[in-house]
Amino acid sequence: MDNKDNNGRLGREHEEENSEGVSEQERMRRQEELDDRASASDGRPRSGDPFEARSRDTHRYEKGDMDMSVKADIPHGASGHGALDSKNLPKSTPGWRILIQELIADKLALFSLIIFVLITSYVFGLTMFLDRQTIVAVDLFAINEPPSEDFRLGTDYGGRDIFGQLIIGTRNSLAIGILVTAMSVGFGIAYGVVSGYFGGQIDNMMMRVVDFFMVLPFLMVIIVFVTISPSYNIFTFSLIMAAFLWTGTARLVRSLAIQEKELDYINASRTMGSSHLKIVFTQMMPNLIGIIIVNSTLSLAANIGIESGLSFIGFGFPEDYPSLGTLMAYATNSQTLQHRWWIWVPAAVLILLMMLCVRNIGEALRRAGDARQRQA
């Protein structure tokens, strides 16, 4: 019994030694495979776990160590300095191209722009061949004539051609709207930029002036100025209106300037010693021009409406200097309103059409300045 037990124990020990020998060989083989895989990237053998950080690696990598298949996927100029070549960087779309894309994408705005340009070109072109004195001359033998071959849109109670008055009146209304917009927006931009950029006491004093103008009933003040003025033309009438319509633009530009002056690029320019004029006109204004264009476009429609309203109530241009408002004023007569539609309906339709066109164009410009709302 003892001999059998000893033999069995010796057999088991021999088998364990054989299994340990096999497992040790297997571990050595696997370790060699892992070392080969770890050194495959640069041909240098490494010891230890191939997955640990190679903090003790003293090998210096050169340009030639990079695999050519990897280099082929990197743009030209990137492998030399670890950065993209400036020629291959994606370029931002210019602002004017974004504007054109947005107008093309918005069919209604594109159609409105075409209509507005055609109306403006036709009116300003045709008035070069019309004599205002002849058109506004009274003809007692053609009073309240309906549309005919001689008078395309009939005549008024003084025998004056409605079509000629409509063309000249549209030109006057457009000219006043454009002049008032240019004056008020131009002054408002300069005022708002100075107030917002310098801030402090300067901003406080300038804003109190804006508040004073905003609390005034500007329509009543304009009516008073027009009434006491012995004579006025398109320029003087536009100047009177612009004197009270610049405050909205000034407040808008001031708020934008306050936001822009706190940005890093403005602080960097100040640190580099750039002058205030250079910072405002070369760096700040290009970032504000988009919103200013939108505000100017919408202000144009409002200014045309204000001029037409003043002329309608009799505080604009007189009848011998027609505008769209003076033609609309004929509708205050009940007989004209009911039975002589050709006198006031064309002017009303033209005012509505121009206001809608300008409004649609302004909305497209506003979307072009907001990347979240663009259609293109």
Side-chain angles (χ1 to χ4, degrees):
M1 293 294 293
D2 293 337
N3 292 332
K4 291 182 179 180
D5 293 339
N6 292 332
N7 292 334
R9 186 171 58 255
L10 292 175
R12 286 194 297 271
E13 290 177 357
H14 181 71
E15 290 178 357
E16 289 176 0
E17 290 178 359
N18 292 335
S19 61
E20 289 177 0
V22 174
S23 60
E24 183 66 24
Q25 292 178 357
E26 183 67 21
R27 282 197 297 271
M28 292 178 62
R29 185 181 63 81
R30 291 179 181 178
Q31 185 64 38
E32 291 177 357
E33 291 180 357
L34 292 176
D35 291 340
D36 293 340
R37 293 177 185 178
S39 61
S41 59
D42 58 357
R44 294 177 61 85
R46 291 179 173 81
S47 61
D49 188 0
F51 298 103
E52 68 180 0
R54 301 177 182 178
S55 58
R56 293 173 294 177
D57 187 7
T58 59
H59 176 65
R60 299 185 62 184
Y61 293 91
E62 303 293 338
K63 294 181 180 179
D65 293 339
M66 185 180 291
D67 187 9
M68 296 304 297
S69 62
V70 178
K71 280 188 175 182
D73 296 334
I74 299 179
H76 175 69
S79 61
H81 301 283
L84 292 176
D85 191 354
S86 59
K87 296 182 180 179
N88 296 325
L89 289 175
K91 297 182 179 179
S92 59
T93 306
W96 60 269
R97 184 171 296 177
I98 294 176
L99 178 62
I100 294 176
Q101 291 175 355
E102 183 63 29
L103 287 174
I104 294 176
D106 191 340
K107 303 303 180 183
L108 181 60
L110 180 61
F111 180 74
S112 300
L113 178 63
I114 294 173
I115 294 298
F116 186 77
V117 170
L118 290 177
I119 291 174
T120 305
S121 302
Y122 181 78
V123 166
F124 280 90
L126 188 58
T127 50
M128 299 174 61
F129 304 97
L130 296 178
D131 185 11
R132 183 180 64 85
Q133 297 294 337
T134 303
I135 291 175
V136 299
V138 177
D139 186 2
L140 298 178
F141 297 99
I143 296 176
N144 293 327
E145 289 287 339
S148 61
E149 294 181 359
D150 297 331
F151 304 102
R152 299 179 185 179
L153 293 176
T155 61
D156 60 5
Y157 66 92
R160 291 166 291 203
D161 186 16
I162 295 297
F163 179 77
Q165 293 186 71
L166 181 66
I167 298 300
I168 295 178
T170 305
R171 182 204 62 182
N172 292 338
S173 295
L174 282 173
I176 292 173
I178 293 172
L179 281 176
V180 172
T181 302
M183 294 178 184
S184 61
V185 171
F187 183 76
I189 290 172
Y191 196 93
V193 165
V194 172
S195 178
Y197 179 76
F198 290 100
Q201 292 298 326
I202 296 177
D203 178 45
N204 188 28
M205 291 186 296
M206 296 180 72
M207 284 299 102
R208 299 296 75 79
V209 176
V210 172
D211 294 339
F212 170 76
F213 275 91
M214 292 191 68
V215 299
L216 291 176
F218 73 93
L219 282 178
M220 299 296 102
V221 177
I222 291 175
I223 289 173
V224 171
F225 274 96
V226 170
T227 303
I228 65 178
S229 179
S231 62
Y232 51 88
N233 52 24
I234 291 179
F235 180 79
T236 55
F237 188 78
S238 302
L239 186 61
I240 293 173
M241 291 181 58
F244 301 94
L245 297 175
W246 57 272
T247 55
T249 302
R251 288 171 62 90
L252 174 64
V253 175
R254 170 187 172 268
S255 64
L256 297 174
I258 291 176
Q259 297 175 6
E260 288 290 325
K261 76 173 184 178
E262 301 297 335
L263 298 181
D264 293 338
Y265 76 96
I266 297 295
N267 295 327
S269 298
R270 290 174 179 171
T271 305
M272 295 175 64
S274 300
S275 63
H276 296 305
L277 289 177
K278 183 177 180 180
I279 293 174
V280 169
F281 288 101
T282 64
Q283 300 181 22
M284 182 179 291
M285 289 303 297
N287 295 327
L288 306 181
I289 194 66
I291 299 178
I292 291 173
I293 291 175
V294 175
N295 179 71
S296 302
T297 305
L298 299 178
S299 297
L300 175 61
N303 295 332
I304 293 174
I306 293 173
E307 184 278 327
S308 300
L310 289 172
S311 298
F312 177 78
I313 61 178
F315 294 98
F317 287 104
E319 292 184 357
D320 60 346
Y321 212 96
S323 71
L324 294 176
T326 58
L327 292 176
M328 285 293 299
Y330 288 133
T332 56
N333 188 313
S334 60
Q335 293 296 322
T336 301
L337 180 63
Q338 297 178 12
H339 305 291
R340 304 184 187 100
W341 59 267
W342 59 84
I343 296 178
W344 62 273
V345 168
V349 172
L350 198 55
I351 290 175
L352 178 62
L353 184 60
M354 289 194 302
M355 300 278 279
L356 288 177
C357 288
V358 174
R359 184 259 178 193
N360 293 331
I361 296 171
E363 288 296 322
L365 294 177
R366 182 181 62 82
R367 287 192 297 271
D370 191 348
R372 295 172 297 179
Q373 297 184 10
R374 291 174 191 164
Q375 299 182 13

